[in-house]
Amino acid sequence: MNQSFSPRDLGAHAAADDLFTPVHPAAFNAVSPPIFQTSLFTYDSYEAMEDVFAGRTRNFIYSRGDNPTVREFELLVARLEGAEDGRAFSSGTAAITSTILSLVEAGDRVVAVRHLYNDVYRLLVKLLGRLGVTVDFVDPSDHDEVRKALPGAKLLYLENPSSFIFELQDIVALSAMAKEAGVTTIIDNSWATPLFQKPVQHGVDIVVHAASKYLGGHSDTVAGVVVGSKEAIAKINSTSYPYVGAKLAPFEAWLLLRGMRTLRVRLKEHERSGLLLADRLKQHPGIARVRHPAFQDHPGRATLTGYAGLFAFDLTPDIDVARFVNALREIRLGVSWGGPETLVVPAKVALQIPDRMTTFIRFGVSEQTIRFAVGLEEPELLWNDLQQALHAAKR
Ligand SMILES: *Cc1c(COP(=O)(O)O)cnc(C)c1O
């Protein structure tokens, strides 16, 4: 059920949006959707233009607002997530910022899980701080702490599992608590994708994605998307989207639609290789700890119907981090994840970013932690590379 997705789903959602309906038949049943590489749309008469502007008839106007290729991507993600509508952006961060800005105003308070994507942490603390919005960071496993923080808050921000340490959250319990307190719940679902977790089914109001990662899947585009109720997306459309101006380009939307045609098979392979390597690393004497959601006995696992290929491991103190990383031959050093290439990010290097969350170490990341994004290479090749690098880096 959760993994039922076929390339035929592309363009199969005409009923979801009347604006989109005339577009797909015009595509001559092309198996790959066309790119509407246009900034604007024209009208045959004064009356036709006026009808569109007055909302009496629907047509596209300008691609900062709506574009057919972008719309196809938005509706595909909404459909996969079981949400009513969606809005795409030029990055995951733009999607997250615009979503949060549509919900908060000066004097409001946000409750967020204590460990989240670094730029979202900085958005909450720095930009929203300047605008008079405060944040309470909570331990998502401490439900009493969350329950106490929620009354009077505007939104609850989750990531299941969280960035870098892959801490799980019971999104069913947390979103129910938020609902009871009248608080809107947002989750970053980039890790699981809608194939491995459908938060809307579990009570979450709004789902955001760094489409740059698994949805695109080929390390060739930066993009984001948010999905939720028609009302939630309408609010984004009226309060932040047009002015933030961080619209998704038609070509980028086309790359995402292309990438998503293989989402199911890619994720299965990321999952299989990730679990295989996580299991072997766990048994290796050079590894102190593997931070993979499959190894956590936590209720937050219940909403995951599969595991992505992104996790972390801690080297034992007798393995030198720099020497380990420099000894890798197949596996490369680089940020981001979700593409075909296997990548590592040492926490020790990530911590050098100015303003990196000061709480990073306190929540269990050590200087020996390595974030590991398992790509689509033959897993035995990756295992050989890890083994030889661990051997070479032993002090
Ligand atoms: C990369 C990432 C983002 C931000 O996405 P961009 O497209 O880089 O702006 C947000 N959340 C998570 C979990 C990410 O890994």
Side-chain angles (χ1 to χ4, degrees):
M1 165 71 191
N2 261 302
Q3 293 180 35
S4 71
F5 165 59
S6 113
R8 278 193 87 140
D9 285 350
L10 294 166
H13 35 248
D17 185 273
D18 54 349
L19 176 59
F20 195 75
T21 309
V23 175
H24 196 66
F28 305 107
N29 277 333
V31 73
S32 169
I35 309 175
F36 287 84
Q37 190 67 38
T38 184
S39 63
L40 67 103
F41 303 83
T42 59
Y43 312 96
D44 291 337
S45 65
Y46 174 94
E47 291 76 16
M49 189 177 193
E50 194 186 50
D51 280 348
V52 170
F53 278 60
R56 286 190 290 273
T57 56
R58 297 194 67 195
N59 200 354
F60 294 92
I61 297 173
Y62 183 50
S63 286
R64 171 156 54 79
D66 265 315
N67 172 282
T69 313
V70 174
R71 197 70 192 127
E72 172 131 27
F73 169 69
E74 290 167 345
L75 292 174
L76 175 64
V77 180
R79 192 174 129 105
L80 287 177
E81 287 283 7
E84 287 174 356
D85 203 356
R87 178 51 88 191
F89 289 85
S90 56
S91 70
T93 306
I96 294 165
T97 302
S98 304
T99 302
I100 295 176
L101 284 178
S102 79
L103 291 164
V104 298
E105 50 193 81
D108 282 344
R109 186 167 54 85
V110 173
V111 178
V113 294
R114 63 186 184 176
H115 208 282
L116 28 82
Y117 184 69
N118 188 47
D119 283 330
V120 176
Y121 174 86
R122 292 198 287 184
L123 161 71
L124 292 173
V125 170
K126 302 207 146 210
L127 180 60
L128 292 181
R130 272 177 53 197
L131 302 178
V133 175
T134 57
V135 196
D136 281 339
F137 291 102
V138 292
D139 171 355
S141 293
D142 185 343
H143 288 189
D144 281 342
E145 188 186 344
V146 180
R147 196 175 284 110
K148 277 189 202 124
L150 285 173
K154 204 55 167 278
L155 63 94
L156 172 66
Y157 192 95
L158 309 171
E159 272 185 16
N160 185 45
S162 63
S163 291
F164 232 104
I165 58 168
F166 307 97
E167 193 170 62
L168 287 166
Q169 291 137 51
D170 183 348
I171 66 173
V172 175
L174 294 174
S175 59
M177 267 186 237
K179 197 144 282 167
E180 210 180 296
V183 176
T184 301
T185 309
I186 303 179
I187 192 169
D188 183 327
N189 201 31
S190 309
W191 188 91
T193 84
L195 295 197
F196 286 166
Q197 182 170 250
K198 293 190 193 297
V200 173
Q201 283 181 358
H202 303 296
V204 173
D205 299 304
I206 297 174
V207 181
V208 290
H209 280 280
S212 328
K213 313 292 168 52
Y214 285 131
L215 298 186
H218 290 73
S219 315
D220 53 12
T221 183
V222 173
V225 62
V226 50
V227 302
S229 65
K230 275 192 188 302
E231 197 189 343
I233 300 304
K235 193 141 184 235
I236 292 168
N237 286 340
S238 65
T239 56
S240 58
Y241 177 80
Y243 323 117
V244 170
K247 62 104 191 158
L248 183 64
F251 179 62
E252 310 294 306
W254 185 86
L255 284 176
L256 293 165
L257 290 167
R258 187 174 85 139
M260 286 183 70
R261 291 164 83 171
T262 55
L263 182 63
R264 199 179 63 83
V265 285
R266 284 189 287 106
L267 275 176
K268 280 190 172 172
E269 192 62 16
H270 285 297
E271 175 183 47
R272 193 176 71 87
S273 295
L275 284 169
L276 185 134
L277 295 172
D279 212 49
R280 290 196 190 163
L281 283 164
K282 210 167 104 175
Q283 292 164 44
H284 194 285
I287 303 298
R289 178 177 176 186
V290 177
R291 300 164 186 268
H292 191 296
F295 300 154
Q296 292 171 46
D297 185 17
H298 190 284
R301 243 173 58 178
T303 48
L304 295 174
T305 57
Y307 297 111
L310 180 75
F311 63 98
F313 55 83
D314 293 7
L315 301 168
T316 53
D318 60 331
I319 305 284
D320 183 81
V321 173
R323 272 171 53 204
F324 167 72
V325 164
N326 285 334
L328 292 167
R329 292 176 199 143
E330 190 66 39
I331 298 166
R332 283 180 275 183
L333 262 166
V335 297
S336 196
W337 48 274
E341 311 79 21
T342 295
L343 299 165
V344 290
V345 177
K348 220 171 158 172
V349 171
L351 284 163
Q352 306 302 312
I353 301 172
D355 314 321
R356 183 80 206 188
M357 54 168 81
T358 52
T359 51
F360 212 61
I361 297 271
R362 242 178 59 216
F363 295 137
V365 174
S366 93
E367 295 221 327
Q368 296 293 101
T369 303
I370 306 284
R371 193 187 72 180
F372 190 40
V374 180
L376 298 174
E377 302 91 337
E378 163 58 45
E380 295 300 339
L381 195 76
L382 300 172
W383 177 236
N384 288 341
D385 198 23
L386 288 167
Q387 274 182 304
Q388 65 80 22
L390 284 165
H391 182 75
K394 205 162 155 55
R395 280 194 251 262

